[in-house]
């Protein structure tokens, strides 16, 4: 009877695991991976069962335990008298292990179905990815515009300890209207970063970028901007609104405004004009010789300053030089915190020049503009795309008076910056050039891992993972 039951159980298990056995075995071994903190708690649970059984035996005077042991001894005697011990022993042992694995697999499966109804990934894979991401380096990214959100989209696959420090100087489009009507800080760049860091990135990007095309007062507004404006009204300020939104959207990392002050950009052009307003600087079509903001020297957000001080790695850009990157550095506490830290710092230079901002600029011109705006050297290296766009793209951009940013190596070397040259560009079917988020993140993490501080940090992470059971 026992052998028949065992054979029936094995047949059922074989039927259920057919064609999935190698995958299932591989998934079980993953539960023993270093750093998952499963083995220690499994052993702890087994010790608890043994101690609880021993305590029950002592409390009951060993009487129930004695009869249970006698029953087990009789069953074992019957089996060994019927079948030789060298056959019955392994059969019973293997049967017990198979039943244990079957039961545990069903238990984990039930938990997985609750936590992941879609069932796209195994629970152990999710846990391993979670542990890896939250042990990643603390990366601070500074900038704004679409360039920053593109970079975040790539970095979030390497670390969940990301802080995006975003400019709040935008005064055009939907953000500008909300700023004037509600008195809130512009939410546009923050909206893009939140969407980029969310797990359900594609859906949230479509939702947050959706613009109303009808309705009194709604036309032209994006849903994400309205969402953040409403959260600002509910929580009291943009910082609290972003924090609450980050929890709702379950983003990897955090997004912080550089300051909570109502900052307005101004620029002095080479022809003597003074342009006020971020959206008007690029449209003015002149050469920027000086950039500033009103009020001057706005206070930095304490959380943003703290993130820079605790960072393992700081990245500036990509993005519009004068209206996305430099506005963050006009906050003295932000610039001072960056200059004071000794961690690896790199600037991601734009691929193409931007009419009205960086027309005719070289890589060295970008560096000089940043140094001049904040009055000190902030970064150690500059990442430059090294492959020229296609002829189709060059013609397309030439019509807009835009050209690839020229790498003047000698001038960059004189400035004391290391040049990191790599292919980090993507080009679509109409010749539009952008940074490729995967290539860009991969190159940036590779450069970081090659720095002395980066090697020490990554060594600590992997060494810790290999020693934790």
């Amino acid at each position: 009877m026992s052998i028949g039951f065992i054979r029936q159980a094995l047949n059922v298990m074989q039927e259920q695991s057919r064609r999935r056995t190698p995958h299932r075995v591989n998934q079980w071994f993953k539960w023993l991976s270093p750093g998952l903190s499963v083995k220690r708690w499994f052993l702890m649970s087994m010790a608890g069962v043994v101690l609880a059984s021993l305590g029950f035996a002592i409390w009951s005077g060993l009487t129930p335990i004695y009869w249970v042991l006698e029953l087990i001894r009789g069953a074992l005697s019957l089996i060994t008298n019927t079948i030789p011990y060298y056959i019955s022993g392994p059969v019973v042992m293997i049967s017990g292990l198979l039943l244990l694995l079957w039961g545990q697999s069903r238990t984990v499966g039930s938990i997985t179905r609750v936590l992941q109804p879609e069932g796209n990934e195994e629970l152990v894979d999710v846990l391993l990815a979670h542990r890896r991401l939250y042990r990643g380096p603390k990366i601070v990214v500074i900038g704004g515009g679409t360039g920053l959100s593109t970079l975040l989209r790539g970095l979030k696959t390497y670390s969940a300890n990301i802080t995006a420090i975003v400019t709040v100087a935008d005064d055009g489009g939907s953000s500008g209207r909300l700023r004037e009507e509600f008195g809130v800080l512009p939410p546009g760049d923050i909206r893009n970063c939140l969407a980029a860091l969310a797990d359900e990135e594609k859906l949230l990007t479509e939702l947050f970028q959706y613009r109303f095309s009808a309705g009194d007062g709604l036309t032209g507004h994006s849903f994400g901007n309205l969402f953040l404006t409403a959260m600002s009204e509910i929580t009291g300020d943009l910082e609290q609104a972003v924090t609450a939104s980050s929890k709702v959207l379950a983003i990897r990392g955090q997004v912080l405004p550089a300051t909570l002050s109502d900052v307005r950009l101004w620029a002095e052009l080479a022809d003597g004009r003074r342009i006020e307003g971020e959206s008007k600087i690029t449209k003015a079509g002149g050469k920027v010789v000086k950039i500033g903001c009103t009020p001057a020297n706005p206070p930095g957000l304490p959380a943003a300053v703290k993130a820079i001080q605790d960072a393992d790695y700081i990245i500036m850009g990509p993005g519009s030089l004068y209206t996305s990157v430099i506005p963050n550095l006009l906050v003295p506490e932000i610039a001072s915190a960056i200059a004071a830290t000794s961690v690896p710092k790199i600037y991601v230079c734009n691929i193409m020049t931007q009419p009205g901002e960086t027309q005719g600029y070289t890589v060295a011109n970008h560096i000089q503009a940043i140094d001049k705006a904040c009055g000190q050297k902030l970064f150690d290296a500059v990442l430059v795309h090294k492959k020229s766009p296609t002829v189709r793209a060059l013609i397309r951009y030439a019509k807009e008076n835009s050209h690839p940013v020229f790498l003047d190596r000698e001038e960059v070397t004189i400035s004391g910056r290391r040049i990191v040259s790599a292919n980090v560009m993507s080009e679509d079917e109409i010749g539009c050039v952008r940074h490729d988020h995967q290539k860009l993140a991969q190159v940036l993490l590779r450069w970081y891992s090659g720095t002395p501080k980066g090697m020490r940090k990554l060594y600590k992470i992997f060494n810790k993972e290999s020693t934790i059971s």
Side-chain angles (χ1 to χ4, degrees):
M1 179 176 179
S2 299
I3 295 177
F5 172 75
I6 292 172
R7 185 181 294 111
Q8 184 178 3
L10 288 173
N11 289 336
V12 171
M13 293 172 65
Q14 182 179 10
E15 182 67 26
Q16 290 185 344
S17 62
R18 185 174 296 166
R19 296 180 182 177
R20 298 194 308 163
T21 301
H23 172 72
R24 179 56 57 190
V25 171
N26 182 53
Q27 294 303 113
W28 268 102
F29 273 109
K30 284 184 179 179
W31 285 102
L32 304 179
S33 299
L36 202 55
S37 299
V38 169
K39 299 186 292 296
R40 69 179 76 172
W41 303 121
F42 178 76
L43 293 175
M44 190 75 72
S45 300
M46 295 299 294
V49 170
V50 172
L51 287 177
S53 302
L54 181 60
F56 178 75
I58 296 173
W59 183 33
S60 60
L62 299 178
T63 303
I65 301 298
Y66 171 77
W67 290 111
V68 169
L69 293 176
E70 283 294 309
L71 179 62
I72 293 174
R73 188 177 68 82
L76 292 177
S77 297
L78 178 62
I79 292 174
T80 52
N81 289 332
T82 305
I83 304 173
Y85 69 90
Y86 53 84
I87 296 177
S88 59
V91 168
V92 172
M93 182 179 67
I94 293 173
S95 300
L97 290 175
L98 290 175
L99 289 174
L100 175 63
L101 290 173
W102 189 22
Q104 289 298 309
S105 124
R106 290 295 182 178
T107 301
V108 173
S110 300
I111 296 173
T112 302
R113 281 193 295 272
V114 173
L115 297 180
Q116 293 183 276
E118 299 84 1
N120 295 329
E121 288 185 272
E122 293 284 350
L123 180 60
V124 64
D125 292 326
V126 175
L127 291 176
L128 284 170
H130 181 274
R131 301 285 292 191
R132 176 180 61 83
L133 289 172
Y134 281 87
R135 284 207 180 102
K138 297 177 182 177
I139 305 173
V140 171
V141 186
I142 301 168
T146 57
L148 180 59
S149 57
T150 297
L151 174 57
L152 294 176
R153 195 171 292 115
L155 287 178
K156 73 176 183 180
T157 61
Y158 293 93
S159 176
N161 299 315
I162 301 173
T163 299
I165 299 178
V166 188
T167 176
V168 288
D170 188 9
D171 63 358
S174 172
S175 292
R177 289 169 56 191
L178 292 171
R179 186 173 187 173
E180 294 298 329
E181 294 173 12
F182 291 91
V184 297
L185 293 177
D189 288 345
I190 292 175
R191 173 199 79 214
N192 291 331
C193 293
L194 288 173
L197 288 174
D199 281 335
E200 298 294 334
E201 179 195 326
K202 186 176 185 299
L203 177 61
L204 277 175
T205 298
E206 292 179 0
L207 176 63
F208 268 42
Q209 302 290 29
Y210 174 79
R211 290 190 182 273
F212 295 92
S213 56
D216 293 338
L218 285 178
T219 304
H221 280 304
S222 69
F223 173 81
N225 285 353
L226 295 177
F227 176 82
L228 287 173
T229 300
M231 291 296 285
S232 296
E233 293 288 313
I234 293 170
T235 59
D237 61 46
L238 184 61
E239 180 187 9
Q240 297 300 321
V242 174
T243 300
S245 301
S246 300
K247 293 179 181 178
V248 171
L249 302 175
I251 72 168
R252 297 180 192 174
Q254 61 178 343
V255 181
L256 300 173
T259 178
L260 292 180
S261 295
D262 186 16
V263 174
R264 307 277 176 168
L265 278 185
W266 56 261
E268 292 181 2
L269 307 184
D271 57 13
R273 287 180 294 164
R274 179 185 170 97
I275 308 299
E276 296 189 2
E278 180 267 345
S279 61
K280 299 177 182 178
I281 293 175
T282 303
K283 295 178 182 178
K287 181 179 180 181
V288 178
V289 295
K290 189 175 182 181
I291 190 83
C293 65
T294 304
N297 304 322
L301 184 72
V305 175
K306 182 69 164 55
I308 294 172
Q309 293 170 343
D310 295 341
D312 298 315
Y313 186 20
I314 297 175
I315 304 169
M316 283 174 276
S320 300
L321 179 63
Y322 287 107
T323 55
S324 292
V325 178
I326 289 181
N328 294 286
L329 307 178
L330 296 178
V331 180
E333 292 175 77
I334 297 292
S336 298
I338 297 172
T341 184
S342 59
V343 301
K345 294 169 283 191
I346 191 169
Y347 169 61
V348 181
C349 191
N350 294 332
I351 299 173
M352 307 295 292
T353 60
Q354 184 177 357
E357 283 202 38
T358 58
Q359 187 173 331
Y361 270 40
T362 65
V363 175
N365 292 147
H366 281 74
I367 296 171
Q368 292 160 5
I370 294 174
D371 290 350
K372 181 180 178 181
C374 57
Q376 52 192 328
K377 179 181 175 180
L378 296 186
F379 54 90
D380 317 305
V382 56
L383 173 59
V384 183
H385 177 68
K386 69 178 181 179
K387 186 178 180 181
S388 177
T390 63
V391 174
R392 177 184 58 186
L394 292 175
I395 294 174
R396 179 184 186 276
Y397 278 89
K399 293 177 181 178
E400 302 172 1
N401 204 17
S402 176
H403 307 278
V405 178
F406 176 71
L407 172 58
D408 43 351
R409 291 182 176 273
E410 185 176 350
E411 292 297 324
V412 174
T413 303
I414 292 174
S415 72
R417 267 67 171 207
R418 178 183 172 186
I419 299 172
V420 180
S421 183
N423 291 322
V424 291
M425 184 191 75
S426 66
E427 183 179 325
D428 62 21
E429 62 279 358
I430 62 172
C432 186
V433 170
R434 294 285 185 271
H435 279 100
D436 183 283
H437 64 273
Q438 292 180 337
K439 293 179 182 177
L440 182 59
Q442 186 178 17
V443 170
L444 287 170
L445 265 295
R446 187 187 304 136
W447 178 77
Y448 169 74
S449 65
T451 62
K453 290 183 180 295
M455 284 191 288
R456 286 197 295 270
K457 174 63 179 179
L458 295 177
Y459 173 79
K460 289 179 181 178
I461 293 172
F462 292 117
N463 188 53
K464 184 178 180 182
E465 287 184 351
S466 64
T467 55
I468 293 179
S469 60

